[in-house]
Amino acid sequence: MSVTVTTKPAEPQESSRHGLGDSLRGWWEGLSRPAQWGVGVPVLALLALLPLFPPPGIDTPSYNFGLVMAQVAMYCLVAIGLNVVVGQAGLLDLGYVGFYAVGAYTVALLTSKNSPWNQTAGGWLDPKWAWLACLPLAVVVTALSGLILGSPTLRLRGDYLAIVTLGFGEIVRLLADNLNEITNGSLGLSEVAYPHLGESADKPKGWFSAGNGGDSSSLNPLDRAGYGTYWYWFGMILIIVMLLIVGNLERSRVGRAWVAIREDEDAAEIMGVPTFKYKLWAFTIGAAVGGISGAMYAGQVQFVNPTQFNVVNSMLFLCAVVIGGQGNKLGVLAGAFIIAYLPARLASVKITSDETTGYVYLLVDVAIFVGLYLLYRFRGARMSHWPRRGVITGMVITGVMAALLLGSVLLFRKGGAQSLGDLKYLYFGVALVVMMILRPQGLFPVRQKLLTFGRQVFQAVRRPAEPGPIGAGR
């Protein structure tokens, strides 16, 4: 006896839920490894040439574009390290700037002429390769500082851990400010070493020296690039290396343990995951990556003082991870680019050119705000999900702009002297508020694959059975 079972056709709802990011991710994962390299290498080459030939509208008129991109690279390294701690392991770290400072001061103390621990003047460090030798030392020192801090504090959770890490960042800054005999206090440490590579008659101090301004008339990329571009290229190499290391960890047993801890630490511990050990792993690895970025910062600027490592910078680092997408390696790179590039790009943009134009902008802005409010008040309940969110976002943006026009420009800064670049803390704060309302998972949410073939298994389960006999008669 056979029984024929007929099922309903598959519902096309699942495919409609896929956005552009899911489509790109699926296309990328469908490529073979050689094909991925064939696509990735040209993209990396275009990114490397970006500071040399910036497209119209991308350049930063108020700042050297190569130096801005070098800062972007440093922020990307910080975001990768902080993403390991916050995004993958779920540990709220508000004092990550402390590791950044430890890496910078490790290089400065060993190479600066103002440091009593200087090893470049007759010590065991040759000035030509002193910075390159200090880079792995900065990694080791910051990793040890993460290990020392994490050992007693990672048994805490949530707000308590956040307060402890915030205190660590402030302790590092205060120590650097008060240990005058070692760190030179608030005066800082100058003449920090940098890589002496590419020295020639045209570039007597090498590619990475601040004296290398580049030749904008040359078509040779090596001659055209200034020292900021060389630091950007070096940062790109470090970013690729860190992404490969962190990506392999993410796909390993360590990465799966981090995801389990992030989702539910109690459940992970009940299932046998040694949560404390893996949290300590995340803290140490994140600290080491932050030390690399700090060492890169000290070598590029060649000057280190405590004011550069305040808690505000720590909040900006966290903003990069939250805006980009916690747990998504490429997402946090996009967030770091926004945090580092946007203030420099907007530094040359004035809110208004004169007082009369400012009042016109204010009237238009208030009219738009009132229109959006009335639309939300009388039609909001009948709107679908995304239009309602769009109206709310528009109200927030126009409300903030009205406050800026009325307060910062028209009353206190007549003539439009205030630039948008000076208000980065304001619009990053507004961006976080809007993100928490509309997209709390970030611009590029993480898609963690806990199974090697998780997507294929899901599709196989959702696929409807074909009509036919079942049981013994099949």
Side-chain angles (χ1 to χ4, degrees):
M1 177 180 178
S2 62
V3 179
T4 301
V5 177
T6 303
T7 59
K8 295 187 296 184
E11 299 178 359
Q13 297 177 355
E14 178 63 28
S15 60
S16 64
R17 296 177 184 175
H18 292 173
L20 178 61
D22 291 323
S23 301
L24 290 175
R25 187 180 292 107
W27 168 78
W28 177 260
E29 292 174 352
L31 298 176
S32 62
R33 183 54 63 90
Q36 289 180 346
W37 280 103
V39 174
V41 170
V43 171
L44 291 176
L46 291 175
L47 290 176
L49 294 175
L50 187 62
L52 302 180
F53 308 98
I58 300 297
D59 198 3
T60 52
S62 300
Y63 298 96
N64 182 281
F65 189 59
L67 290 176
V68 172
M69 294 306 295
Q71 187 180 21
V72 168
M74 285 186 284
Y75 270 64
C76 286
L77 281 172
V78 169
I80 292 172
L82 187 57
N83 183 55
V84 172
V85 180
V86 177
Q88 296 185 359
L91 306 173
L92 184 56
D93 188 350
L94 299 182
Y96 193 76
V97 73
F99 300 124
Y100 186 67
V102 169
Y105 268 99
T106 300
V107 176
L109 287 172
L110 293 176
T111 62
S112 172
K113 303 295 176 60
N114 306 120
S115 169
W117 296 351
N118 178 27
Q119 297 297 321
T120 59
W124 53 275
L125 286 176
D126 188 285
K128 290 185 177 298
W129 48 263
W131 186 88
L132 295 174
C134 288
L135 182 61
L137 287 177
V139 174
V140 173
V141 172
T142 50
L144 287 176
S145 66
L147 184 66
I148 293 172
L149 174 66
S151 296
T153 61
L154 286 179
R155 303 184 189 280
L156 303 172
R157 299 186 189 179
D159 298 339
Y160 301 101
L161 178 62
I163 293 171
V164 170
T165 54
L166 180 64
F168 167 74
E170 283 297 288
I171 287 171
V172 171
R173 184 185 66 81
L174 292 173
L175 283 175
D177 199 10
N178 291 291
L179 295 177
N180 296 314
E181 297 81 5
I182 300 175
T183 64
N184 204 23
S186 59
L187 298 178
L189 300 173
S190 60
E191 297 185 60
V192 179
Y194 59 90
H196 288 261
L197 302 176
E199 294 181 346
S200 63
D202 296 334
K203 298 180 177 64
K205 295 186 178 181
W207 296 327
F208 295 89
S209 167
N212 176 22
D215 184 6
S216 58
S217 62
S218 175
L219 294 178
N220 184 353
L222 297 181
D223 294 333
R224 188 182 182 91
Y227 80 105
T229 303
Y230 277 101
W231 278 108
Y232 169 64
W233 288 343
F234 185 77
M236 282 188 65
I237 296 173
L238 293 178
I239 290 170
I240 294 171
V241 172
M242 290 299 105
L243 286 177
L244 291 174
I245 294 174
V246 173
N248 287 330
L249 283 172
E250 186 181 17
R251 291 185 292 271
S252 69
R253 184 176 183 177
V254 176
R256 292 193 294 272
W258 286 342
V259 174
I261 294 170
R262 180 187 69 197
E263 298 301 325
D264 193 325
E265 185 175 345
D266 292 328
E269 194 162 4
I270 290 172
M271 296 303 294
V273 177
T275 56
F276 177 76
K277 181 181 79 171
Y278 285 114
K279 287 196 296 183
L280 197 58
W281 265 92
F283 219 69
T284 304
I285 293 171
V289 179
I292 295 175
S293 182
M296 184 177 169
Y297 171 80
Q300 183 205 324
V301 180
Q302 300 174 32
F303 174 73
V304 175
N305 74 337
T307 59
Q308 300 162 346
F309 308 106
N310 52 37
V311 68
V312 176
N313 286 329
S314 195
M315 297 301 107
L316 287 178
F317 297 157
L318 190 60
C319 281
V321 175
V322 173
I323 292 175
Q326 301 179 49
N328 188 339
K329 301 185 298 298
L330 298 181
V332 299
L333 296 184
F337 175 81
I338 293 172
I339 295 296
Y341 168 78
L342 201 59
R345 180 63 186 88
L346 296 179
S348 60
V349 179
K350 304 295 183 182
I351 297 178
T352 180
S353 57
D354 56 76
E355 190 172 356
T356 303
T357 306
Y359 278 112
V360 173
Y361 288 163
L362 180 60
L363 291 175
V364 173
D365 185 84
V366 171
I368 295 174
F369 177 83
V370 172
L372 290 174
Y373 173 76
L374 294 176
L375 181 63
Y376 181 79
R377 177 70 174 82
F378 296 105
R379 299 292 299 274
R382 286 175 284 180
M383 288 182 180
S384 58
H385 188 60
W386 281 107
R388 185 167 62 251
R389 287 186 168 188
V391 171
I392 295 173
T393 304
M395 291 171 58
V396 172
I397 294 175
T398 53
V400 172
M401 285 302 301
L404 290 177
L405 289 167
L406 182 62
S408 300
V409 180
L410 303 179
L411 299 183
F412 302 105
R413 303 291 290 272
K414 292 185 178 182
Q418 186 83 40
S419 70
L420 290 178
D422 298 331
L423 306 171
K424 61 180 179 180
Y425 302 118
L426 174 64
Y427 53 73
F428 285 151
V430 173
L432 285 178
V433 172
V434 174
M435 290 288 294
M436 292 303 102
I437 297 173
L438 303 182
R439 197 174 177 84
Q441 68 271 33
L443 292 176
F444 304 97
V446 64
R447 295 288 188 272
Q448 185 70 34
K449 295 187 296 183
L450 293 179
L451 296 174
T452 305
F453 301 101
R455 186 65 192 165
Q456 291 86 333
V457 171
F458 176 78
Q459 290 175 344
V461 172
R462 293 282 295 181
R463 187 181 301 123
E466 298 179 359
I470 62 174
R474 182 171 53 181

